[in-house]
Amino acid sequence: MDLVVINKSERIAYITINRPDKRNALNPELVKLLSNAFKNVIEDVDVKVIVLKANGDVFSAGADLEYLQQLQQNTDVENFTDTYILKELFLTIYRSPKFVIAQVEGHAIAGGCGLASVCDVIFSVPQAKFGYTEVKIGFIPALVSCFLIRKLGEGRAKELLLSGELIDAKTASIYGLINFIASKEEIESAVHTYAKKIVEGTSSNSITVTKQLLSTVQDLNLDESLNLAIGLNVQTRSSADCKKGITAFLNKNKLDW
């Protein structure tokens, strides 16, 4: 059985975690397969939007139990290697030049919640719970903290990461952790409709450059971020997509992206 399944349709790539018997828990093998899957679809010129989803009733329960047992015997070098490959997965998703949607149809816990958190937009069913439970078993939410403080700010990040408490989808939406809530019966259609809107209504180049800008400016002071924005603006104005968009707008033509 393939642990990760890729399907492509209408310029949308669906990456599905397929380990329902283990609650889609993460281990080094699955993390590597997910990294390879994302790299594969990122390089595919026919793909414009990526949807990350999971089979079964749980999006991902975090670290695999067998993996947790193994960690007790790991050396520092082995622990570094494990953490590094998860960092690479998170960065690959976060820095993807393509729009990434998480379709969460069950609980997203610990590393599984981190996996959803690094996506651009999250759709969730009302029944799903979210939480970073690492502190409850003596771990720390190390990697995800670097992303969550950007996404939610220090106050909310501290509340979630230091307590390890689970929150429901409605609360996650209020906090800004997730973007949309749809019923179990409607979430697939809702995600597809949204993804199609991105495919048909936006420039691939503009998505890529805007994501680059958003991920970089947070590390700069105001003057540096404005100078970066100027440079990327100049670069984008001379792009084929921008010329196409302006021409269509001025001629009142419908754009075909």
Side-chain angles (χ1 to χ4, degrees), residues 200-201 241 244-249 252-257:
E200 296 173 353
D241 274 14
K244 173 182 174 180
I246 290 174
T247 300
F249 177 77
K252 295 183 170 55
N253 293 332
K254 187 178 184 306
L255 277 165
D256 179 15
W257 289 115

Side-chain angles (χ1 to χ4, degrees), residues 3-17:
L3 295 180
V4 175
V5 178
I6 302 175
N7 294 294
K8 302 172 188 177
S9 175
E10 301 177 283
R11 303 193 70 190
I12 306 166
Y14 296 88
I15 297 177
T16 305
I17 306 171

Side-chain angles (χ1 to χ4, degrees), residues 30-45:
L30 179 56
V31 170
K32 288 177 184 176
L33 288 171
L34 281 170
S35 288
N36 290 337
F38 269 93
K39 290 172 183 174
N40 175 302
V41 298
I42 285 170
E43 292 172 0
D44 189 335
V45 295

Side-chain angles (χ1 to χ4, degrees), residues 3-4 46 52 57 64 67 87 125 150 162 209 234 236:
L3 295 180
V4 175
D46 292 326
L52 175 64
D57 297 327
D64 177 271
Y67 170 57
K87 182 208 82 167
V125 295
R150 287 169 165 243
L162 297 179
V209 178
V234 171
T236 303

Side-chain angles (χ1 to χ4, degrees), residues 63-138:
D64 177 271
L65 293 179
E66 293 177 9
Y67 170 57
L68 286 177
Q69 291 173 342
Q70 176 61 42
L71 283 182
Q72 298 177 81
Q73 281 77 48
N74 272 9
T75 64
D76 285 350
V77 172
E78 289 169 330
N79 283 327
F80 175 86
T81 301
D82 277 355
T83 307
Y84 187 86
I85 63 171
L86 184 59
K87 182 208 82 167
E88 288 298 293
L89 172 60
F90 281 1
L91 272 181
T92 297
I93 297 173
Y94 184 75
R95 290 179 174 167
S96 162
K98 300 180 180 182
F99 200 102
V100 184
I101 302 169
Q103 181 175 322
V104 180
E105 297 186 56
H107 301 336
I109 312 297
C113 196
L115 193 58
S117 300
V118 295
C119 296
D120 298 321
V121 164
I122 301 176
F123 279 76
S124 171
V125 295
Q127 301 86 355
K129 291 188 182 296
F130 298 82
Y132 311 91
T133 56
E134 286 88 346
V135 294
K136 292 188 176 239
I137 60 169

Side-chain angles (χ1 to χ4, degrees), residues 29 52 61 102 113 120 128 170 199 242:
E29 179 187 8
L52 175 64
C113 196
D120 298 321
K170 182 178 179 181
V199 167
C242 190

